[in-house]
Amino acid sequence: MWALVAGCADGEAVSAAHVCGAAVVAVEADGAALSVAARPDRRQRAHATDAVAALLEEQQFTLGEGPSIEAGSSGGQVLVADVSAPAGASRWPMFAPAATAAGARGMFAFPLQVGAIRLGVLTLYRVRPGSLTREQVADAVTLCRTAVAVMLAAGRPPLNGAAPDQGAWPLGGPGEGRIEVYQATGMVAVQLGVGLQDAFAALRARAFTEDVPLARLARQVVDRRLRFHPDDFPDN
């Protein structure tokens, strides 16, 4: 698996993009995304191989449910042969229809962790339904361990011989697009007079109700073009 990752890197320092690319090949998936846990309650996307993989990650972040969310919180593998099946729809009533509409059927999420410490999630999707073979599951788990090794090797020379970047995060940068969401969560908490968890729930609910990306709504809050009012939440 490391040889496959190094081959995707082609002489560059290994990044999240190379791990995702190797996972797509090894598991015969159509796309992959890797997210990292900045805190136990916060995940951000490090890389997505394509627009569908990115959308699936964003939908799960917005809706608060899905295989990536479940794998990250439970620390176990979440392997779903067909998210559009009744079992998937009952398990994730909001995410399953969104994933199906995006063109994903099979979805497979694997936690990145060291002992009890959860560092992130590797999620793969297929456009056709179907289960992974035991060998494919084993390969995905090995790639997760490879990703963890890369994450823990910050500042060390990478195994493929490329020069290390002492100032770079080892999986390709600080992630994409979540800082403003957390800034907005803090602002909404003050505006509503609630805790961060309730504020995040209110932000997520509004994004879902108005059918806009959570990051876009957060930008409106941060730019002070949108304000949450307690009167909008009579049960608060």
Side-chain angles (χ1 to χ4, degrees), residues 13-15 150-156 163-175:
V14 171
S15 71
V150 174
M151 293 172 72
L152 298 180
R156 302 175 187 172
D165 183 349
Q166 299 289 341
W169 181 66
L171 280 180

Side-chain angles (χ1 to χ4, degrees), residues 121-215:
V121 179
L122 173 66
T123 306
L124 303 107
Y125 80 89
R126 287 174 172 172
V127 298
R128 294 182 179 180
S131 301
L132 298 181
T133 65
R134 293 179 63 181
E135 291 77 12
Q136 289 170 334
V137 171
D139 286 345
V141 170
T142 301
L143 282 167
C144 288
R145 293 172 180 164
T146 302
V148 169
V150 174
M151 293 172 72
L152 298 180
R156 302 175 187 172
L159 298 181
N160 60 4
D165 183 349
Q166 299 289 341
W169 181 66
L171 280 180
E176 305 170 12
R178 297 292 158 79
I179 294 177
E180 288 179 344
V181 173
Y182 303 132
Q183 291 175 331
T185 299
M187 295 174 66
V188 171
V190 173
Q191 293 167 9
L192 296 179
V194 299
L196 291 176
Q197 184 173 352
D198 290 337
F200 185 50
L203 193 68
R204 175 186 284 161
R206 185 154 185 170
F208 177 67
T209 301
E210 298 183 4
D211 194 25
V212 298
L214 188 58

